[in-house]
Amino acid sequence: CGGGCGSGGPPTIGSVLVGTVKSYSAVKGFGFLVHPDISQDIFFQDIGIAMELRTSDLAGTAMSFELIRAADGKAQARALKPVPAGMGTSTPPSPGTMAMGMMGGGGCCGTHPGMMGKGMGMTGMGMGMGMGMGMGMGMMMMMGGKGMMPGMMPGMMPGKGKPVVRNHGVSGHRKSYALVWRVDMRDRYGITQVIFPKQGADEAGLKRYSESVNLGREFVVKVTGKVVERSNKNKQRDTGDIEVVADSLDVLNASQTPPFKIEDATDAQEETRMKYRYLDIRRNPLKEALLLRNKVTRIVRDHLNDLQFCEIETPVLIKSTPEGARDFVVPSRMNPGQFYALPQSPQTFKQLLMVGGMDRYFQIVKCFRDEELRADRQPEFTQIDCEMSFVSQEDILNVFEHMIKKLFKEVIGHEFPSFPRMEYSEAMDRFGIDKPDTRFDMELVDITGCSKGFSFKIFDDAEIVLGMCCKGLGEWSSKKIKDLEKKATGQEVGATAMVWMKYDKDGSFDCSAKKFFTETQYKAWVEKANVLPGGCVPGDLLVIIAGPKLKTQEAMGKFRHLMGTELGLRSKGFNALWVVNFPMLEWDDEAERFTAKHHPFTSPWTEDIEQMTSLDKKDQRLNDVRANAYDMVINGVEVGGGSIRIHNRELQAKVFEVLGFTKEEAQEQFGFLMGAFDYGAPPHGGLAFGLDRLCTILGGKTSIRDYIAFPKNNMGRDTMINSPSEITPVQLAELSIATAVKAKEASPAAPAPSGDYPAEKGVLRTS
Amino acid sequence: CGGGCGSGGPPTIGSVLVGTVKSYSAVKGFGFLVHPDISQDIFFQDIGIAMELRTSDLAGTAMSFELIRAADGKAQARALKPVPAGMGTSTPPSPGTMAMGMMGGGGCCGTHPGMMGKGMGMTGMGMGMGMGMGMGMGMMMMMGGKGMMPGMMPGMMPGKGKPVVRNHGVSGHRKSYALVWRVDMRDRYGITQVIFPKQGADEAGLKRYSESVNLGREFVVKVTGKVVERSNKNKQRDTGDIEVVADSLDVLNASQTPPFKIEDATDAQEETRMKYRYLDIRRNPLKEALLLRNKVTRIVRDHLNDLQFCEIETPVLIKSTPEGARDFVVPSRMNPGQFYALPQSPQTFKQLLMVGGMDRYFQIVKCFRDEELRADRQPEFTQIDCEMSFVSQEDILNVFEHMIKKLFKEVIGHEFPSFPRMEYSEAMDRFGIDKPDTRFDMELVDITGCSKGFSFKIFDDAEIVLGMCCKGLGEWSSKKIKDLEKKATGQEVGATAMVWMKYDKDGSFDCSAKKFFTETQYKAWVEKANVLPGGCVPGDLLVIIAGPKLKTQEAMGKFRHLMGTELGLRSKGFNALWVVNFPMLEWDDEAERFTAKHHPFTSPWTEDIEQMTSLDKKDQRLNDVRANAYDMVINGVEVGGGSIRIHNRELQAKVFEVLGFTKEEAQEQFGFLMGAFDYGAPPHGGLAFGLDRLCTILGGKTSIRDYIAFPKNNMGRDTMINSPSEITPVQLAELSIATAVKAKEASPAAPAPSGDYPAEKGVLRTS
C-alpha cells in the first residue's frame, strides 16, 4: 500500500499515493500517472495540479496524489505534488504515515515540498467519503499532525488545524469507554470517529481525555491526530474503516443543546425546523438537497453554455402588469407614487433579447408571484428560463428533451427513452388532465355510446360518460367502495355522482345502478375498457362518472391521480412526456371574456390564425385555436413549459384585441414589446423549467421547500428572521406611502389557480 | 484543402474537414483525430460528438468535423459526424462543396448520414468568426442548400433554413451593383456578405435580385445559397474571404428604419440607446459586453465549483434593517402593514449557511440598494458572494487572488503578478485613499517636519503638510497652474488652499509661498519627495496642501486621482492589490456615535478586542481597533471586499453595544444570527465581488451600464418599459397601503456615501 489505510491490498479511493507522471500536456490540460498497484493509467486534469507546474514537462516526475473517483466511476488523481528526492514510488511512505498530499493545495505546494513526508513527523490520511448524489467528486476530510482543511485549495495557506463541526456520538455505551472516549466528528463531507485514549496516556493525553468527555453535541472543535485502522469496522459508514487518535483538541465554539437532534431522520415539527433552518441544514437530507441543486444548475449551465446559450441577467425591478397574476411591488423613493414590480418571469425581456440578436439566451433566475402558497409553491421561486431565435416547436422540444435526459442521467443515473408527445386534447381524453402521470394506466374509458338510452337520467343527460378501471378493487368491501364514492363526490374530485360496476372474480357483474343496466351493457363497457392498456378483467372495479365533457374529464383526472397515490402506483421510477398544442384561449366565466391559456405572447398555429378574425367573443371557433405551446411533464408534474412566440405587431395586437384589451391598454402595458417588433424581430420561442420542482423530482421528494435553503411558510413568512416586519415611519415617508391596514375582514383572497404554479405562465392570470 | 475556404494552404479555423479518429475513450470523454494537413493530433471532447457514438470504438472511423480554436488557442475539433463510405480523408470533397458537418448536430446525425456529402447536392461552408473576448469557442454561421442554423445542437431538427438578422450594407456604391446586389447579413456570430446576381440569372433569380434591392436595414431574412470565395477579399472581416450566392430569399420580418444606426460606433444619445435597448444590444460593443459577462460568470462558477464551493440561493424577500443603507421594501399582502426588504447583500444568510455546515458557499446574486445613482451604481447590481468556514484572512486572500488571476488570464489574457498587500494606514499615508490606483506613482510626500515654523500660518496650524510631485508640470504656464489651484480647492478635491513649488529645468525654485520659504526648505521637500518612487526632479511641480491629517490625506488622494486621469496616467494596464486591516469603527459626527466601517459582523483582530472594553464612545482607543477586513483593488476601483466574521454571541453583542444598539434593538434586528451562534458556529469569513464592476474593468470600460443588459437611468427608471409606474387602487388596497405623495419639496436626499458602492458593505450605512 503506497499510503492510505495502512493495510494491504489495492489502494482505496481517498488514499494519497505516490506515482510517476507518464504524460502531461499543458495545452490539453491533462495527463496520466502510473502507480505500481494500479493497473490502468490514472487520469488527472489541470485543476488537480499547481499552476506553476502546468507548463513544465512533467513526464517521469514522481508526484504524490490523491486517488479519487470521477463522475464516471473510474479512478482519477488530484492534488498532485512533486515529491522530494527519495520519496518516489520506489520508497513509498511506510504504513501508518503518509505524504500529506493535500497540504497547501496547488498554489503553494511548490514552496513547501519539505512539508511532505516523514521528515515532518506527520501522519494522516485521506478518507474517501461517498457523496451519493452530492458533489461529483468524492470530497476528502483530512487530518494531520500540522492540521489541514478539507479539500484545501490553490493558494490556501498550510499550517492550519483541520477543524470540523463535530457531533458527539452518544449512541450506545461500550466497555471501552472507561479506557477511551469516542467522539463522532461531522463536517460537510461525512462523519469520522475520533478517539481520546485514557489508558497509557501522558498528562496532556489525560487532559484531552477529560476535555473530550465534556464535549457536548454540536460543539465546534479542531482536532489533529493520527489515522489508524479501526478494529471494529463500521460498514455503514464510508469512513468506518478508520478512526483518528487525537493528539490535540481545541474547542472553537461551544453549543447549547439544539432544539432537535441533528440526524438524518427527525421527528421535529417543520415549524421548528424552519425557525432553526441553519441547524436543519446540518442534517444530511437537507445538505444533500442543496448539493443536488448545485449539481443540477451546474450541469444545466455547462450544457447550455456549450450549446452557445448565453446567460444574461434581466432586471428584478420591472413594471407591474395589472392584468397578470398578482405582482409583488416595490415603491420607488425617487419616483413618488410609482412602483416597480418583481418579475413573475423574464418573459418580455427574453423576447427583447431575441429582438436584440442574442439568439440563444438562458438564465437561472428568481421569479415572484404573490399568490396563495402550498407545498409546491413559494412566493419566490427559481426558473431555468430559455429562449432561442429561428426555431420551431420541434427544435425546442429536441434541445430541451436532450438537456433533461442528460440531467437525469448525470444526477441520478436515470436514462429516459424518447419522450412521447401528446396533443393536449389526447391528454384530456385519456387522462383527464394536461399533465398526466403516465407511470400507471387507469386511462379514462369513454362509454357514452353504450350507456345512454337506458332510462338512467344521470347518464342520459350527460354530454359524456366516463369510466375508469381500478385493478383488483372488485374485491373491495361495500364499505370501502362507499368510501370511494365519497372521494369521487368530495371536494378534491368534485364529481356529482359516482356509479360503480364490479367485475367479480367469478365473472359475474354487480353495479350500483343495476336497476338500469344488464350484463349486455356491462360487457360493452368492459369491451371498451379492454381496448386500453391494463384493460378490465374479473376482480376489477369500473368507476363511472358523467356530465359535461371538460368538467367530467377533469374530475376523472383528479380521481385517477388520487387513486394512483392511494394504490401506490405513483411511487416508482420516472415517466416523461411532452403535452403540446394547448388551446390558445380559455373562456373566463366571471370576466365574460377569453383569457390566454399560456400567455398572450404565445403564437397560435399559423393555420389557426384566421379563426381569430371573428371578434365575437362567444364564437366557438375561438375555442379551437391551438397555441404553439408545449409542457414537459414528468410523473404528473409540469416541470417546464413554453411556446413559440408572436414576433410581429399585427398578430400581437390582434391577440390583445381578442383578449379584450383596448388598443390603449395594449399600448400602455406592452407597447415597448410591440414597438420592438417594428424593428426586425426574428421568429423565436422558448420555455422555462421550474428549478425547485425539477430538483424535488430528481431528489425523489414532494415538497419544494426541501430544496430551498431558506423557504417561507404558507403565510409567506420567514420565521427564522421574522420577516416580513413593520418598517419605520421615516422609511414610509421617504417612500411616499402609508400603511392602510383595515380591521381584518374575512376577505377571501382570490382563489388560487387550480394547477401548480406554471413555470412560464406567470405573465397573465390564466383563470 | 479538405474543405472550408476552397483555396490552398493549411485548413483555417472554422473549416469543416474530414479526418480519422485516432483514439477515443468514452470513459474519459475525449479523443483525438488526425488530418493529413494538420501535423498535431486534434483533440475533441464528448460535447462535440453525438450521444449514440460515445460508447462505440471509434478508432479508425472517418469523421467530418469542424475545426475550432480552443480557449488555449490550439486547434480542436467539434461537431463530429461519421462520414459515409467513400467520403473519408482519402477523398475529401472538392473545393467549393463540402460535407455539411453541422447539420442536425449530435443528437440526430446518426439518423441522417445520407444528408452529408455531395449526394445531396448541398454546398456550404463553416466560416470561422473570431469572437474576441466573447464566447470561448469560435461560433459558426452556416448556410447551405438545405439550410441550417448557427451551431445546431444535439437533437435539433435539420432541414430548416438558416435565417439571420441581416443588415443591409449600403456603405459605398460599386459598379457591380448593376449586375449584382450585395447585402450584409448580421447575426450574433458576425457579418456575411450575400450576393444576388442579376446578370445571367433565371426568372427566379431576377425576382430575388429585385427583392434584395428592396430589403431595408434590419429586415430579418432567411437566405440559403452557395458559399464562394470572394474575388475582392475583405481583410477587416473574419468572413471577408467568402460570400454567399443566394438561391433563396424569404423576408421573415420587415423593419422600420431604426432610430439610430446599428454600428460599432454610434453618436446616438444614451437616452435613445436606453429606450431602444434591444437595438443597442445588436451593436457589437454591447453584444460583446454581454458575452464577456457570461464568460466571466462561467469561469467563476467553474472555478469555485471545482474547489467544492456550493452555489446556494438565498432569499430575495428578506427583512428590512432600519440601521442599514436604504432598503427597497415590498409590502406583504398576506401580512398587512408588514414589509419584506430586498437584500443589500446575502450577508447574514451566508453566515447562517456556515453555521449550517455548508463550509464553502458562493452565489452570483442580485443585490439592491435604494441610493442615489451614478455611472457605476445601479439600484440593482450583482455580486459574486463567497463565504468559507475554518479560514484565516490569509486563506481568503490566497483563494480569491488565485480566482481573479485566473479570470483575467482566461478572459483577456492578462497575467497578474502576486497582489501586494497594503495596510489601510499605509494606503492612506501613501495614496490618501483606501483604494489606490497604483498604475502611477505620485505618492503623497509628508513634509510636515520641514515646513513648519516658518511663520506660514497655513502650514504652522496644520496637523499635516502633504506634497505631491507632478512630473513635468514645472513647465506649465502660470495660468495652467492657477487652474490647478482651482481644482485643488474645488468641490471634487475640497482642499482649503493649495501651495505650489516649481522646480525649474535650470535647477532654480519658485513657490507660491516664497515669502516664507527659501531654497533650503525647497531642497528639503525635494529630498523627501525623492525617497519615493518617481521622485522630484527639475521640471516637476510640487503641489502642497495642509490641514487635519485624515481630511488632508483624503483631499490629496482625490487630487492625485484627478491628476492621474488628467495626465493620462490611468489608462494603461492593470494593477491589483489588497488593502487590509481597515479600522473597525468610524466616528459619525452627525449621529455622534461610532459606526462600523465594514459592517457589524466583521471581526476585530483578536489582539484588538480588549481595546473595545471601554464603552466611552469618545475613547480614542476605539479608533485604533483594526477590523480583520480586506478589499481587493484593481486600478483604483474596489472590485471586492470582505472580512473574517464574528462567530460568537458575546463578541457580536459587544460590537452592537459599541455601535450604540440597545440590547433590545440588537436582539430585534439580529437576534436570529446571535441565536445561531449559540449552536456551534464555526469560525468563518468571506468576501464579495461586484460583478458589474469586474466586467467593466475586464472590458476596459468605465460605465457599468455597458455591462448590464437592461440598466436603469440615474433616476432609477427603465425608460424602455417605462418603469416604475403607478399601480391600480385595487392593488394598493390588497396590499394595505396608500400612496402619500407630498407636493415636491426640495428635500435633498441623504448624501450618497463618498465611495463607490461597496461590494459587500451593504448591511449598515458606513457614513
Side-chain angles (χ1 to χ4, degrees), chain B residues 714-736:
Chain B
N714 60 4
M715 283 304 289
R717 295 201 68 83
D718 182 331
T719 55
M720 179 183 71
I721 62 170
N722 193 24
S723 161
S725 59
E726 287 175 16
I727 61 175
T728 67
V730 173
Q731 283 179 289
L732 289 170
E734 278 191 329
L735 296 171
S736 303

Side-chain angles (χ1 to χ4, degrees), chain A residues 51-236:
Chain A
M51 194 68 90
E52 65 266 38
L53 297 176
R54 295 188 192 168
T55 49
S56 329
D57 183 353
L58 289 182
T61 312
M63 296 282 239
S64 79
F65 65 91
E66 181 192 329
L67 196 64
I68 60 168
R69 196 186 301 283
D72 59 16
K74 300 286 173 167
Q76 289 196 2
R78 67 163 206 161
L80 272 65
K81 302 288 145 46
V83 173
M87 274 288 295
T89 44
S90 56
T91 56
S94 61
T97 69
M98 63 182 302
M100 295 308 307
M102 294 185 71
M103 170 156 290
C108 60
C109 73
T111 59
H112 295 89
M115 297 194 70
M116 295 181 299
K118 289 178 269 187
M120 298 293 291
M122 289 192 298
T123 60
M125 79 174 292
M127 291 164 288
M129 305 213 176
M131 292 297 291
M133 56 182 56
M135 305 302 292
M137 294 171 68
M139 189 57 213
M140 300 288 106
M141 186 172 86
M142 301 200 67
M143 301 173 195
K146 292 287 283 182
M148 64 206 56
M149 306 195 307
M152 286 188 72
M153 53 189 65
M156 192 168 264
M157 199 178 65
K160 284 285 157 50
K162 164 63 183 75
V164 288
V165 181
R166 70 152 302 276
N167 172 19
H168 182 182
V170 288
S171 49
H173 292 271
R174 300 185 211 145
K175 273 190 194 153
S176 60
Y177 270 31
L179 305 175
V180 70
W181 195 255
R182 290 183 158 78
V183 169
D184 278 349
M185 289 178 58
R186 165 170 34 80
D187 67 6
R188 179 176 140 196
Y189 314 96
I191 290 177
T192 305
Q193 179 168 283
V194 180
I195 65 170
F196 296 88
K198 186 179 185 185
Q199 203 177 32
D202 60 10
E203 195 179 337
L206 287 173
K207 187 161 166 285
R208 272 197 303 277
Y209 170 83
S210 58
E211 281 170 356
S212 71
V213 171
N214 290 321
L215 290 172
R217 275 184 179 273
E218 304 304 324
F219 276 39
V220 179
V221 299
K222 170 179 157 180
V223 166
T224 59
K226 292 179 180 55
V227 176
V228 298
E229 195 175 348
R230 257 171 92 157
S231 51
N232 55 337
K233 296 193 172 55
N234 179 351
K235 293 294 169 201
Q236 306 302 105

